[in-house]
Amino acid sequence: MIDIKKMLKNEEFFIKKFKERGYEISEDVYEITTLYNEYLSFLKAEQKLREELNSITSFIKNDPQNNKLKKEAKLISSKVKKASEESSKLNSKINKKILFFPNIQDNDVPVGKSEEDNFIISTHLDDKKNNIFSKPHWDVIEEKKLILKNEAIDISGARQVIYSDKAAYVIKALEKFMIDNANLSGYKLIEPPIIVNKKALINTGQLPKFEEDLYKLNENQYLIPTAEVPLTNLVANKIIPENELPLNYVAATNCFRKEAGSAGKDTRGLIRLHQFRKVELVTIGKPKDEKEDFERMLNTATNILEKLELPYRLVQLCTGDAGFSSKKTIDIEVWMPGTKVYREISSVSMIGDFQSRRMKTRYKDQDGNKELVNTYNGSGLAIGRTFAAIIENFINEKNEIKVPKALKKYLNFNYF
């Protein structure tokens, strides 16, 4: 959640920043200002009335038989209650509305409308060395029966997969490899629930805006779209001692997304599924360590691709393409020689205090001062997409897929 007090002091700046993100919400900003001023007036009225009530109450203590003062106290008490109710209603209305306002992007984020305006930062390893035997991974998995396609459709419907035999072992090996990689960077393993409540999703920014993409179980429970939700909420409503920061968490979970806005897009293969497995990284840190914490997460994710010898590039997302809660996002895109395109395999995002303000999470420094923490999240990595990249990059002339060196200690076979 944005800092409403900062927005009210500089409305035009925030309106400009929202517009850069594709949000034309100037009228909503002005409405918030009106509502907030009304809210303040009721708060001031309530405070003044309480002071009057306290004064009269002290007189009544000295003159308990004074019925006139008692009647006056009763009248003021009812006015206090009414003012309190009105201020609460306004505060609730403001908070509900402001939950739809996106985070403010950093000034160094390029302004743009879509992925076409993103900026390629750097390219790593040799994507020019195309695998001449490569083909789209969806053709390979069907030819080699790496997934049980028909069974998955019969059991669960479209955009679901069942990995079979050696493919399933590779998926598990990738998960363990990614967790071990995160551990080397200081990330603590967490095994979180995949069911979370509405408040947890509000805290991390998925609700209320993106409800149509979520799998809802009942009025207060949802399947997680990413492990970012339970991991970040581990610190909700807490005050963390400064010397405990940063907190670095890693988890491997199934994730669930309806992909409501992607009809007809990436329907083949393992790129866009309704249920998929992902290793997630989350950091809770101090604002002054922003650069260091962000770089650690980015390096942890890219180290996986380096070790797997998969070509990749770093892409700075523009204002219009970054996620709702993001302050700055760098995508990691892996090279897919079978289709000759780069595919996103991780988004590493700096969130700032956008989530911690919603969660009411602060840290206390040595002088006792309390300040909102910064949060960060990123995939480390999407397992299905990594599997697809291995298929396209490591298939040979015999239609065998070579196991990358980094995975050999987790598997008892060299090809699949």
Side-chain angles (χ1 to χ4, degrees), residues 16 58 72 76 89 91 102 104 109 112 125 129 133 147 154 163 167 185 188 273 294 298 305 313 335 359 379-380 405:
K16 173 178 172 289
S58 64
E72 190 175 348
I76 293 174
K89 285 179 187 176
N91 189 44
I104 297 298
V109 174
L125 305 182
K129 234 180 186 181
F133 307 107
I147 65 171
D154 289 344
Y163 296 100
S185 297
K188 178 182 178 181
L273 302 172
F294 188 65
L298 188 63
L305 296 173
R313 69 184 185 186
W335 175 242
M359 295 192 298
S379 300
K405 291 178 184 177

mmCIF file of all heavy atoms in Angstrom, residues 16 58 72 76 89 91 102 104 109 112 125 129 133 147 154 163 167 185 188 273 294 298 305 313 335 359 379-380 405:
data_model
loop_
_atom_site.group_PDB
_atom_site.id
_atom_site.type_symbol
_atom_site.label_atom_id
_atom_site.label_comp_id
_atom_site.label_asym_id
_atom_site.label_seq_id
_atom_site.Cartn_x
_atom_site.Cartn_y
_atom_site.Cartn_z
ATOM 1 N N LYS A 16 1.060 11.374 -11.885
ATOM 2 C CA LYS A 16 1.998 11.175 -12.995
ATOM 3 C C LYS A 16 2.594 9.767 -12.943
ATOM 4 O O LYS A 16 2.691 9.074 -13.967
ATOM 5 C CB LYS A 16 3.111 12.223 -12.917
ATOM 6 C CG LYS A 16 4.260 12.040 -13.918
ATOM 7 C CD LYS A 16 5.271 13.174 -13.776
ATOM 8 C CE LYS A 16 6.521 12.932 -14.608
ATOM 9 N NZ LYS A 16 7.371 11.856 -14.068
ATOM 10 N N SER A 58 -14.723 15.062 35.329
ATOM 11 C CA SER A 58 -13.989 15.439 36.541
ATOM 12 C C SER A 58 -14.844 16.290 37.469
ATOM 13 O O SER A 58 -14.753 16.177 38.697
ATOM 14 C CB SER A 58 -12.706 16.187 36.168
ATOM 15 O OG SER A 58 -13.007 17.409 35.530
ATOM 16 N N GLU A 72 -25.493 16.513 30.274
ATOM 17 C CA GLU A 72 -24.552 17.081 29.295
ATOM 18 C C GLU A 72 -23.488 16.053 28.923
ATOM 19 O O GLU A 72 -23.109 15.923 27.744
ATOM 20 C CB GLU A 72 -23.901 18.340 29.883
ATOM 21 C CG GLU A 72 -23.113 19.120 28.850
ATOM 22 C CD GLU A 72 -22.574 20.431 29.395
ATOM 23 O OE1 GLU A 72 -22.996 20.840 30.495
ATOM 24 O OE2 GLU A 72 -21.731 21.030 28.720
ATOM 25 N N ILE A 76 -22.753 14.576 25.159
ATOM 26 C CA ILE A 76 -21.410 14.639 24.530
ATOM 27 C C ILE A 76 -20.910 13.234 24.205
ATOM 28 O O ILE A 76 -20.300 13.010 23.161
ATOM 29 C CB ILE A 76 -20.421 15.378 25.463
ATOM 30 C CG1 ILE A 76 -20.818 16.843 25.591
ATOM 31 C CG2 ILE A 76 -18.989 15.278 24.904
ATOM 32 C CD1 ILE A 76 -19.998 17.619 26.598
ATOM 33 N N LYS A 89 -15.881 4.817 9.398
ATOM 34 C CA LYS A 89 -16.458 4.536 8.080
ATOM 35 C C LYS A 89 -15.608 5.141 6.972
ATOM 36 O O LYS A 89 -15.337 4.505 5.951
ATOM 37 C CB LYS A 89 -17.881 5.095 7.998
ATOM 38 C CG LYS A 89 -18.925 4.297 8.746
ATOM 39 C CD LYS A 89 -20.288 4.965 8.614
ATOM 40 C CE LYS A 89 -21.335 4.278 9.486
ATOM 41 N NZ LYS A 89 -22.631 4.995 9.421
ATOM 42 N N ASN A 91 -12.430 6.028 7.156
ATOM 43 C CA ASN A 91 -11.122 5.361 7.131
ATOM 44 C C ASN A 91 -11.198 4.034 6.381
ATOM 45 O O ASN A 91 -10.317 3.685 5.582
ATOM 46 C CB ASN A 91 -10.631 5.125 8.558
ATOM 47 C CG ASN A 91 -9.191 4.650 8.599
ATOM 48 O OD1 ASN A 91 -8.323 5.166 7.901
ATOM 49 N ND2 ASN A 91 -8.933 3.643 9.410
ATOM 50 N N PRO A 102 -1.476 1.056 -7.377
ATOM 51 C CA PRO A 102 -0.227 0.293 -7.496
ATOM 52 C C PRO A 102 0.929 0.975 -6.781
ATOM 53 O O PRO A 102 0.841 2.148 -6.401
ATOM 54 C CB PRO A 102 0.011 0.277 -9.010
ATOM 55 C CG PRO A 102 -0.557 1.586 -9.470
ATOM 56 C CD PRO A 102 -1.782 1.802 -8.612
ATOM 57 N N ILE A 104 4.580 2.768 -6.439
ATOM 58 C CA ILE A 104 5.279 3.779 -7.235
ATOM 59 C C ILE A 104 6.614 3.207 -7.696
ATOM 60 O O ILE A 104 7.397 2.706 -6.889
ATOM 61 C CB ILE A 104 5.503 5.064 -6.401
ATOM 62 C CG1 ILE A 104 4.156 5.678 -6.005
ATOM 63 C CG2 ILE A 104 6.350 6.065 -7.179
ATOM 64 C CD1 ILE A 104 3.299 6.125 -7.158
ATOM 65 N N VAL A 109 13.464 3.431 -13.416
ATOM 66 C CA VAL A 109 12.730 2.444 -14.212
ATOM 67 C C VAL A 109 12.272 3.100 -15.507
ATOM 68 O O VAL A 109 11.661 4.170 -15.473
ATOM 69 C CB VAL A 109 11.514 1.896 -13.435
ATOM 70 C CG1 VAL A 109 10.673 0.977 -14.322
ATOM 71 C CG2 VAL A 109 11.969 1.164 -12.176
ATOM 72 N N GLY A 112 7.279 3.078 -20.003
ATOM 73 C CA GLY A 112 6.789 2.370 -21.181
ATOM 74 C C GLY A 112 5.427 1.765 -20.921
ATOM 75 O O GLY A 112 4.940 1.751 -19.793
ATOM 76 N N LEU A 125 26.133 -16.223 -21.306
ATOM 77 C CA LEU A 125 26.410 -17.480 -21.975
ATOM 78 C C LEU A 125 26.085 -17.311 -23.466
ATOM 79 O O LEU A 125 25.605 -16.270 -23.894
ATOM 80 C CB LEU A 125 25.657 -18.643 -21.335
ATOM 81 C CG LEU A 125 25.903 -18.825 -19.826
ATOM 82 C CD1 LEU A 125 25.150 -20.042 -19.314
ATOM 83 C CD2 LEU A 125 27.385 -18.988 -19.512
ATOM 84 N N LYS A 129 25.120 -20.185 -30.055
ATOM 85 C CA LYS A 129 25.482 -21.575 -30.282
ATOM 86 C C LYS A 129 24.211 -22.411 -30.229
ATOM 87 O O LYS A 129 23.983 -23.171 -29.310
ATOM 88 C CB LYS A 129 26.402 -22.020 -29.150
ATOM 89 C CG LYS A 129 27.706 -22.612 -29.610
ATOM 90 C CD LYS A 129 28.425 -22.961 -28.349
ATOM 91 C CE LYS A 129 29.813 -23.439 -28.611
ATOM 92 N NZ LYS A 129 30.454 -23.786 -27.367
ATOM 93 N N PHE A 133 19.922 -29.657 -33.085
ATOM 94 C CA PHE A 133 18.963 -30.759 -32.940
ATOM 95 C C PHE A 133 17.716 -30.332 -32.156
ATOM 96 O O PHE A 133 16.815 -31.130 -31.944
ATOM 97 C CB PHE A 133 19.621 -31.951 -32.236
ATOM 98 C CG PHE A 133 20.902 -32.395 -32.890
ATOM 99 C CD1 PHE A 133 22.126 -32.138 -32.304
ATOM 100 C CD2 PHE A 133 20.868 -33.040 -34.119
ATOM 101 C CE1 PHE A 133 23.308 -32.537 -32.916
ATOM 102 C CE2 PHE A 133 22.047 -33.444 -34.737
ATOM 103 C CZ PHE A 133 23.271 -33.183 -34.143
ATOM 104 N N ILE A 147 5.420 -36.604 -20.265
ATOM 105 C CA ILE A 147 4.252 -36.314 -19.425
ATOM 106 C C ILE A 147 3.082 -37.186 -19.881
ATOM 107 O O ILE A 147 3.036 -37.629 -21.028
ATOM 108 C CB ILE A 147 3.841 -34.821 -19.475
ATOM 109 C CG1 ILE A 147 3.373 -34.429 -20.868
ATOM 110 C CG2 ILE A 147 4.962 -33.917 -18.994
ATOM 111 C CD1 ILE A 147 2.749 -33.048 -20.928
ATOM 112 N N ASP A 154 -7.841 -35.821 -18.484
ATOM 113 C CA ASP A 154 -8.974 -36.571 -17.934
ATOM 114 C C ASP A 154 -9.162 -36.317 -16.444
ATOM 115 O O ASP A 154 -10.286 -36.212 -15.947
ATOM 116 C CB ASP A 154 -8.756 -38.082 -18.157
ATOM 117 C CG ASP A 154 -8.902 -38.480 -19.616
ATOM 118 O OD1 ASP A 154 -9.457 -37.675 -20.392
ATOM 119 O OD2 ASP A 154 -8.449 -39.581 -19.975
ATOM 120 N N TYR A 163 4.018 -35.385 -14.780
ATOM 121 C CA TYR A 163 5.358 -35.818 -15.181
ATOM 122 C C TYR A 163 5.501 -37.305 -14.885
ATOM 123 O O TYR A 163 5.051 -37.790 -13.850
ATOM 124 C CB TYR A 163 6.430 -35.040 -14.420
ATOM 125 C CG TYR A 163 6.443 -33.557 -14.730
ATOM 126 C CD1 TYR A 163 5.853 -32.640 -13.866
ATOM 127 C CD2 TYR A 163 7.034 -33.089 -15.899
ATOM 128 C CE1 TYR A 163 5.855 -31.286 -14.150
ATOM 129 C CE2 TYR A 163 7.045 -31.731 -16.195
ATOM 130 C CZ TYR A 163 6.452 -30.834 -15.319
ATOM 131 O OH TYR A 163 6.462 -29.494 -15.609
ATOM 132 N N ALA A 167 11.249 -38.073 -16.222
ATOM 133 C CA ALA A 167 10.893 -36.646 -16.195
ATOM 134 C C ALA A 167 10.548 -36.211 -14.773
ATOM 135 O O ALA A 167 10.948 -35.134 -14.321
ATOM 136 C CB ALA A 167 9.724 -36.378 -17.132
ATOM 137 N N SER A 185 23.354 -19.186 -0.520
ATOM 138 C CA SER A 185 23.264 -17.724 -0.460
ATOM 139 C C SER A 185 22.632 -17.233 0.834
ATOM 140 O O SER A 185 22.343 -16.045 0.978
ATOM 141 C CB SER A 185 22.452 -17.196 -1.651
ATOM 142 O OG SER A 185 23.099 -17.497 -2.868
ATOM 143 N N LYS A 188 16.891 -19.458 4.136
ATOM 144 C CA LYS A 188 16.417 -20.489 5.067
ATOM 145 C C LYS A 188 15.217 -21.216 4.461
ATOM 146 O O LYS A 188 14.261 -20.592 4.020
ATOM 147 C CB LYS A 188 16.024 -19.825 6.392
ATOM 148 C CG LYS A 188 15.464 -20.777 7.449
ATOM 149 C CD LYS A 188 15.075 -19.967 8.686
ATOM 150 C CE LYS A 188 14.471 -20.850 9.763
ATOM 151 N NZ LYS A 188 14.064 -20.055 10.957
ATOM 152 N N LEU A 273 0.811 -22.900 -17.086
ATOM 153 C CA LEU A 273 -0.049 -23.939 -16.529
ATOM 154 C C LEU A 273 -0.903 -23.384 -15.392
ATOM 155 O O LEU A 273 -0.569 -22.372 -14.785
ATOM 156 C CB LEU A 273 0.801 -25.097 -16.007
ATOM 157 C CG LEU A 273 1.734 -25.776 -17.025
ATOM 158 C CD1 LEU A 273 2.647 -26.766 -16.311
ATOM 159 C CD2 LEU A 273 0.946 -26.461 -18.126
ATOM 160 N N PHE A 294 18.685 -6.773 -2.956
ATOM 161 C CA PHE A 294 18.170 -7.010 -4.303
ATOM 162 C C PHE A 294 19.185 -7.779 -5.141
ATOM 163 O O PHE A 294 18.843 -8.745 -5.837
ATOM 164 C CB PHE A 294 17.811 -5.672 -4.960
ATOM 165 C CG PHE A 294 17.095 -5.799 -6.276
ATOM 166 C CD1 PHE A 294 15.834 -6.362 -6.345
ATOM 167 C CD2 PHE A 294 17.681 -5.346 -7.448
ATOM 168 C CE1 PHE A 294 15.163 -6.474 -7.563
ATOM 169 C CE2 PHE A 294 17.023 -5.452 -8.664
ATOM 170 C CZ PHE A 294 15.760 -6.023 -8.719
ATOM 171 N N LEU A 298 18.923 -11.512 -6.987
ATOM 172 C CA LEU A 298 19.141 -11.622 -8.431
ATOM 173 C C LEU A 298 20.273 -12.610 -8.734
ATOM 174 O O LEU A 298 20.154 -13.468 -9.618
ATOM 175 C CB LEU A 298 19.453 -10.241 -9.008
ATOM 176 C CG LEU A 298 19.521 -10.125 -10.530
ATOM 177 C CD1 LEU A 298 18.181 -10.440 -11.162
ATOM 178 C CD2 LEU A 298 19.975 -8.721 -10.934
ATOM 179 N N LEU A 305 21.067 -20.743 -13.489
ATOM 180 C CA LEU A 305 21.214 -20.854 -14.938
ATOM 181 C C LEU A 305 22.680 -20.980 -15.339
ATOM 182 O O LEU A 305 23.019 -21.698 -16.287
ATOM 183 C CB LEU A 305 20.560 -19.655 -15.626
ATOM 184 C CG LEU A 305 19.044 -19.558 -15.415
ATOM 185 C CD1 LEU A 305 18.496 -18.265 -15.985
ATOM 186 C CD2 LEU A 305 18.330 -20.745 -16.052
ATOM 187 N N ARG A 313 19.252 -13.915 -20.318
ATOM 188 C CA ARG A 313 19.478 -12.473 -20.330
ATOM 189 C C ARG A 313 18.684 -11.815 -19.208
ATOM 190 O O ARG A 313 17.693 -12.379 -18.704
ATOM 191 C CB ARG A 313 19.097 -11.869 -21.683
ATOM 192 C CG ARG A 313 17.609 -11.878 -21.997
ATOM 193 C CD ARG A 313 17.351 -11.349 -23.400
ATOM 194 N NE ARG A 313 15.917 -11.232 -23.671
ATOM 195 C CZ ARG A 313 15.408 -10.902 -24.859
ATOM 196 N NH1 ARG A 313 16.216 -10.646 -25.874
ATOM 197 N NH2 ARG A 313 14.096 -10.814 -25.028
ATOM 198 N N TRP A 335 17.088 -18.778 -22.678
ATOM 199 C CA TRP A 335 17.073 -18.989 -24.125
ATOM 200 C C TRP A 335 16.465 -20.355 -24.452
ATOM 201 O O TRP A 335 16.834 -21.372 -23.883
ATOM 202 C CB TRP A 335 18.488 -18.923 -24.680
ATOM 203 C CG TRP A 335 18.622 -19.246 -26.133
ATOM 204 C CD1 TRP A 335 19.333 -20.274 -26.677
ATOM 205 C CD2 TRP A 335 18.053 -18.534 -27.242
ATOM 206 N NE1 TRP A 335 19.242 -20.252 -28.047
ATOM 207 C CE2 TRP A 335 18.460 -19.188 -28.427
ATOM 208 C CE3 TRP A 335 17.241 -17.395 -27.342
ATOM 209 C CZ2 TRP A 335 18.077 -18.749 -29.695
ATOM 210 C CZ3 TRP A 335 16.860 -16.965 -28.606
ATOM 211 C CH2 TRP A 335 17.277 -17.631 -29.764
ATOM 212 N N MET A 359 1.072 -4.994 5.892
ATOM 213 C CA MET A 359 1.246 -6.023 6.929
ATOM 214 C C MET A 359 1.498 -5.449 8.320
ATOM 215 O O MET A 359 1.481 -6.187 9.291
ATOM 216 C CB MET A 359 2.437 -6.931 6.582
ATOM 217 C CG MET A 359 2.277 -7.760 5.341
ATOM 218 S SD MET A 359 3.571 -9.024 5.224
ATOM 219 C CE MET A 359 5.051 -7.994 5.123
ATOM 220 N N SER A 379 11.488 -15.668 -8.262
ATOM 221 C CA SER A 379 11.547 -17.114 -8.463
ATOM 222 C C SER A 379 12.993 -17.556 -8.509
ATOM 223 O O SER A 379 13.826 -16.896 -9.118
ATOM 224 C CB SER A 379 10.864 -17.505 -9.777
ATOM 225 O OG SER A 379 9.513 -17.108 -9.776
ATOM 226 N N GLY A 380 13.220 -18.717 -7.923
ATOM 227 C CA GLY A 380 14.594 -19.206 -7.949
ATOM 228 C C GLY A 380 14.721 -20.688 -8.244
ATOM 229 O O GLY A 380 15.408 -21.342 -7.513
ATOM 230 N N LYS A 405 25.414 -31.191 -16.049
ATOM 231 C CA LYS A 405 26.405 -31.632 -15.054
ATOM 232 C C LYS A 405 25.968 -31.320 -13.627
ATOM 233 O O LYS A 405 26.171 -32.119 -12.711
ATOM 234 C CB LYS A 405 27.754 -30.970 -15.331
ATOM 235 C CG LYS A 405 28.436 -31.456 -16.596
ATOM 236 C CD LYS A 405 29.741 -30.697 -16.815
ATOM 237 C CE LYS A 405 30.389 -31.100 -18.149
ATOM 238 N NZ LYS A 405 31.626 -30.291 -18.399
#
